[in-house]
Amino acid sequence: MKNDNPQQLDTDQEIARVIDEVMSSSLSNEQYRQKMQRRKEVQDKRIAQAVPEKGLVIVNTGNGKGKTTAALGMVLRSLGHGYKVAIVQFIKGAWEPSEKRVFSSWQDQLEFHAMGEGFTWETQDRDRDLDKAQAAWEKSLEYIRNPEFRLVLLDEINIALKMGYLQVEQVLAGLATKPNDTHVILTGRGAPPALIERADLVTEMTLVKHPFRDQGVKAQPGIEY
């Protein structure tokens, strides 16, 4: 995504320059100390100018593994702060994942809805998949619009968008109704450009190697589910 903030770009360039200089083995101890002091000054200035809080739209996408796992890390942090969290699964519902059992320890803070019936090649029923995705989206809107919930995770919603079970316009319209301090995470490969443009934080997981693709190793408990 394009960064239109010249001041932000200047700060990033300054930090990158300082890091490059620090990596030089020819620096004396005093030169190193001065460079790191400058790095701290730049970083402290950036933090001082930052907005204290803002509800973020977060997208985890890409072909690599770890999109949901990263999102669940944020869920765990939010629960640790005592916030209320909602998770709606759009695709993986038939798996009854282990995460659901673990998070049952936070029943007072967490709402978990596994509303999909598995991956599309398992169900083989487009109309049913579409109905399930629409029902999951309606349930998601209940939490997105509820100011009591600080974080809402829409797991694999990007797959529903890619398959045409949901329209990006309806998702963007729903995100526009969230309270100012609510965070929403949307996971799944193939996030549409319009959603990426709207998001505040986008991470693309890049696939380098995968045990199933490269070695024929099946999904394993504790790693994939």
Side-chain angles (χ1 to χ4, degrees):
M1 291 179 61
K2 181 177 67 175
N3 190 334
D4 294 322
N5 186 338
Q7 184 177 13
Q8 182 69 52
L9 289 173
D10 290 343
T11 301
D12 291 342
Q13 292 168 357
E14 172 70 6
I15 290 177
R17 183 183 65 79
V18 171
I19 291 175
D20 288 341
E21 292 175 350
V22 166
M23 291 176 63
S24 172
S25 60
S26 63
L27 291 178
S28 67
N29 289 339
E30 178 59 23
Q31 289 173 323
Y32 179 86
R33 187 193 66 78
Q34 291 176 358
K35 296 297 183 183
M36 294 307 293
Q37 182 178 358
R38 175 56 184 160
R39 167 71 194 277
K40 183 177 185 305
E41 291 172 354
V42 173
Q43 190 66 24
D44 288 348
K45 182 178 180 181
R46 172 188 281 186
I47 293 173
Q49 294 173 341
V51 176
E53 288 188 1
K54 174 188 176 182
L56 303 177
V57 173
I58 301 167
V59 173
N60 292 347
T61 192
N63 294 331
K65 174 178 168 52
K67 296 176 285 293
T68 295
T69 302
L72 291 175
M74 295 184 187
V75 167
L76 190 61
R77 290 190 192 119
S78 293
L79 293 171
H81 282 286
Y83 299 143
K84 296 193 70 173
V85 177
I87 300 175
V88 179
Q89 287 190 317
F90 280 75
I91 301 296
K92 296 179 182 176
W95 284 31
E96 285 297 320
S98 57
E99 293 96 333
K100 185 176 181 179
R101 292 194 295 271
V102 172
F103 286 132
S104 64
S105 301
W106 283 274
Q107 292 183 8
D108 294 338
Q109 291 175 243
L110 178 67
E111 296 285 341
F112 193 116
H113 297 273
M115 301 189 68
E117 292 186 324
F119 292 99
T120 52
W121 58 83
E122 297 286 354
T123 62
Q124 302 177 16
D125 187 335
R126 177 177 174 80
D127 289 339
R128 187 170 180 82
D129 288 340
L130 193 152
D131 289 343
K132 287 291 184 180
Q134 292 292 333
W137 175 242
E138 291 301 319
K139 176 60 67 176
S140 301
L141 283 176
E142 294 179 17
Y143 295 113
I144 289 172
R145 294 168 174 167
N146 187 340
E148 293 183 4
F149 287 84
R150 185 65 174 267
L151 177 67
V152 181
L153 167 57
L154 309 180
D155 188 40
E156 300 288 2
I157 188 174
N158 294 337
I159 299 296
L161 286 165
K162 186 176 182 179
M163 297 297 295
Y165 303 151
L166 297 174
Q167 299 303 311
V168 67
E169 293 81 10
Q170 73 180 126
V171 172
L172 293 176
L175 293 174
T177 66
K178 77 176 186 65
N180 291 332
D181 58 353
T182 297
H183 307 300
V184 181
I185 311 175
L186 306 95
T187 73
R189 62 179 63 194
L195 178 59
I196 290 176
E197 181 64 27
R198 165 61 186 88
D200 301 289
L201 172 61
V202 180
T203 300
E204 183 175 3
M205 308 294 185
T206 300
L207 177 61
V208 178
K209 297 177 69 175
H210 195 287
F212 178 73
R213 185 193 67 174
D214 301 325
Q215 303 175 48
V217 179
K218 291 183 178 180
Q220 301 178 79
I223 302 300
E224 278 83 19
Y225 63 92

